[in-house]
């Protein structure tokens, strides 16, 4: 049955019906999950559909099942080059070239990767130096990769069973996948320059795949993961100490340049990247609230209390002492600001007309 589906998938691929081919390959993989050939061919279909993180994951699975399959390395390299992950692509091409020394595609693509890597190493310093020379602080943001659709994670397990979250530090991002009692041998984690691929395959249960393209670049060799009793914790080491606005890459949010503190002048305040939509000016809000309070129209006791409060706030120290002493000693019937008069004697109560003072007996 799997072979029939594979044949139909190849025919659909030849006819440029890539979505049909992808669906047929996926059905075949479910029937024969140990076939490296199926994963490698599905990777090619994903490449045609620009499902690049999925293509890398399929190629990695094919390599895991059959490390001698040269075309699996070629598929991985092709997807990584489209993602502009040239270091990862070059490493895959070198492994594939060793398996197929007569295939000129590997040497050609290795040369292209080397050229791209050299361009990256030259262009970034030039850009930073130019910006520092013009305004002291690098302001321009790195443009997101064009013509590559953002791919969301795929999850074969119901969301109620497996969830994930992340938090970050200046130097790393920690991704937590909440899955209980997963044997370590059932967990496979792969890292690319800007790709995370997580596969959980427990016998008798649906497979879980999480394959996001990351917000920023990481250092694959320094990343690690731990399988704990209640979760899988993945630590991704950032290539640059920048704030990630999200875990997954988005064309709507560009990766900001790292600010060089030494290039900030005394009159400039460094602006750090933030996931908040805009900065809140609390000083402005406070001034606005005070103005509203001042302009507020009150009636009755509220207006009288506001009147006394305004007098107290605008008074000097002697006037404040006089107000406190007169109010307390007169049982709230007298309020004076004349300290010379109030400070020299006890202030007697002065009840309103028609009322009399009485001492409260406990």
């Amino acid at each position: 049955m799997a072979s029939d589906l594979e044949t139909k998938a190849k025919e659909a691929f030849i006819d440029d019906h890539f979505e049909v081919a992808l669906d047929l390959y996926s059905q075949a993989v479910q029937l024969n999950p140990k076939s490296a050939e199926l994963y490698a061919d599905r990777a090619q279909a994903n490449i045609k559909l620009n499902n690049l993180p999925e293509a890398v994951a399929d190629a990695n699975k094919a390599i895991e099942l059959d490390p001698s399959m040269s075309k699996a390395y070629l598929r991985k390299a092709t997807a990584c080059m489209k993602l502009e992950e040239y270091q990862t692509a070059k490493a895959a091409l070198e492994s594939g070239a060793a398996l197929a020394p007569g295939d000129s595609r590997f040497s050609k693509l290795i040369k292209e990767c080397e050229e791209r890597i050299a361009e990256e190493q030259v262009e970034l310093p030039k850009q930073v130096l130019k910006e520092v020379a013009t305004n002291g602080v690098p302001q321009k943001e790195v443009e997101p990769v064009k013509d590559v659709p953002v791919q969301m994670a795929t999850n074969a397990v119901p969301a109620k069973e497996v969830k994930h979250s992340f938090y970050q530090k200046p130097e790393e991002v920690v991704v937590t996948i909440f899955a209980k009692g997963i044997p370590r041998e059932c967990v496979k984690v792969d890292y690319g320059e800007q790709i995370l691929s997580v596969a959980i395959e427990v016998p008798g249960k649906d497979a879980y795949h999480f394959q996001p393209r990351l917000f920023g670049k990481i250092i694959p060799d320094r990343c690690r993961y731990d399988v704990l009793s209640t979760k899988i914790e993945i630590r991704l080491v950032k290539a640059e100490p920048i704030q990630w606005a999200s875990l997954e890459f988005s064309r709507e949010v560009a990766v900001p340049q790292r600010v060089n503190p030494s290039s900030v002048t005394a009159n400039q305040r460094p602006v750090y990247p933030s996931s908040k939509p805009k900065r809140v000016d609390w000083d402005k809000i406070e001034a606005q609230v005070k103005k509203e309070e001042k302009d507020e129209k009150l009636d009755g006791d509220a207006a009288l209390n506001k009147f006394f409060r305004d007098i107290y706030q605008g008074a000097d120290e002697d006037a404040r002492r006089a107000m406190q002493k007169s109010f307390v000693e007169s049982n709230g019937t007298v309020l004076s600001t004349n300290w010379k008069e109030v400070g020299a004697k006890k202030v007697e109560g002065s009840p309103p007309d028609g009322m009399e003072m009485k001492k409260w007996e406990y």
Side-chain angles (χ1 to χ4, degrees):
M1 183 64 177
S3 60
D4 293 338
L5 290 169
E6 182 180 5
T7 301
K8 292 179 181 178
K10 290 180 182 295
E11 293 173 353
F13 187 90
I14 293 172
D15 292 336
D16 291 343
H17 298 152
F18 303 122
E19 291 184 357
V20 175
L22 178 62
D23 182 61
L24 291 169
Y25 278 128
S26 297
Q27 293 180 46
V29 164
Q30 290 181 352
L31 295 174
N32 187 8
K34 299 298 182 181
S35 172
E37 187 76 23
L38 288 175
Y39 281 103
D41 289 343
R42 190 171 71 172
Q44 182 71 341
N46 274 317
I47 290 171
K48 290 293 185 180
L49 293 168
N50 267 336
N51 299 335
L52 302 177
E54 285 82 353
V56 174
D58 278 344
N60 282 334
K61 185 64 177 180
I63 293 169
E64 177 189 344
L65 294 170
D66 185 1
S68 65
M69 180 181 288
S70 61
K71 75 174 182 180
Y73 295 95
L74 186 62
R75 302 282 191 267
K76 179 178 180 178
T78 302
C80 287
M81 290 180 71
K82 286 180 175 288
L83 289 167
E84 297 186 354
E85 297 193 6
Y86 300 113
Q87 295 281 7
T88 304
K90 182 186 175 185
L93 289 167
E94 289 172 344
S95 298
L99 297 169
D103 193 334
S104 60
R105 291 178 297 176
F106 288 101
S107 56
K108 180 181 178 181
L109 291 174
I110 288 173
K111 183 179 179 181
E112 184 178 345
C113 284
E114 290 174 343
E115 292 173 353
R116 297 292 187 184
I117 292 169
E119 288 175 3
E120 285 184 345
Q121 293 172 345
V122 171
E123 286 300 321
L124 185 57
K126 280 186 177 180
Q127 178 181 327
V128 174
L129 286 173
K130 181 179 179 181
E131 290 166 353
V132 172
T134 55
N135 54 26
V137 182
Q139 296 288 339
K140 186 176 180 182
E141 294 183 339
V142 178
E143 292 293 332
V145 180
K146 297 180 179 179
D147 301 326
V148 179
V150 179
Q151 298 298 325
M152 303 303 291
T154 59
N155 186 352
V157 179
K160 291 183 178 180
E161 295 185 24
V162 180
K163 296 181 180 180
H164 71 272
S165 66
F166 85 100
Y167 67 90
Q168 61 184 302
K169 303 176 183 178
E171 71 284 353
E172 70 175 1
V173 174
V174 181
V175 181
T176 302
I177 297 176
F178 299 97
K180 295 182 179 180
I182 304 297
R184 186 177 183 85
E185 60 270 17
C186 296
V187 178
K188 176 71 174 178
V189 180
D190 289 307
Y191 315 97
E193 291 175 64
Q194 203 171 342
I195 291 178
L196 172 64
S197 178
V198 182
I200 303 176
E201 297 181 356
V202 179
K205 294 185 179 181
D206 291 334
Y208 169 85
H209 297 283
F210 182 54
Q211 301 155 356
R213 183 179 180 194
L214 301 171
F215 180 86
K217 291 194 174 184
I218 60 175
I219 305 175
D221 293 342
R222 294 175 57 190
C223 298
R224 68 184 191 277
Y225 72 94
D226 294 309
V227 180
L228 306 175
S229 60
T230 59
K231 62 185 179 180
I232 299 166
E233 191 171 80
I234 305 166
R235 295 185 175 271
L236 306 173
V237 179
K238 296 179 181 179
E240 288 186 295
I242 60 173
Q243 183 79 5
W244 288 17
S246 61
L247 177 62
E248 299 181 34
F249 173 86
S250 170
R251 288 190 298 177
E252 302 299 322
V253 183
V255 180
Q257 291 282 0
R258 178 178 57 180
V259 175
N260 182 3
S262 63
S263 66
V264 180
T265 63
N267 296 327
Q268 291 174 319
R269 297 176 63 186
V271 179
Y272 299 97
S274 172
S275 59
K276 296 181 179 179
K278 65 178 182 177
R279 183 182 174 189
V280 178
D281 190 339
W282 294 110
D283 293 336
K284 183 177 180 181
I285 292 176
E286 182 181 5
Q288 184 177 353
V289 170
K290 287 182 177 179
K291 184 178 183 302
E292 290 175 355
E293 289 178 348
K294 184 177 180 181
D295 297 340
E296 186 178 11
K297 302 297 183 182
L298 300 174
D299 297 319
D301 291 342
L304 186 62
N305 289 335
K306 182 178 184 301
F307 173 71
F308 289 147
R309 186 171 65 248
D310 291 342
I311 293 175
Y312 187 83
Q313 289 177 347
D316 58 23
E317 187 63 29
D318 284 343
R320 290 185 177 185
R321 291 166 61 193
M323 292 176 71
Q324 291 175 356
K325 185 173 185 295
S326 62
F327 188 81
V328 172
E329 292 182 350
S330 68
N331 291 320
T333 60
V334 176
L335 187 66
S336 173
T337 58
N338 189 342
W339 177 248
K340 290 183 179 180
E341 178 183 330
V342 171
K345 60 180 181 179
K346 181 180 179 181
V347 180
E348 299 295 336
S350 178
D353 293 340
M355 303 183 71
E356 62 177 339
M357 295 283 295
K358 285 188 176 181
K359 186 177 180 180
W360 179 261
E361 295 183 359
Y362 298 95

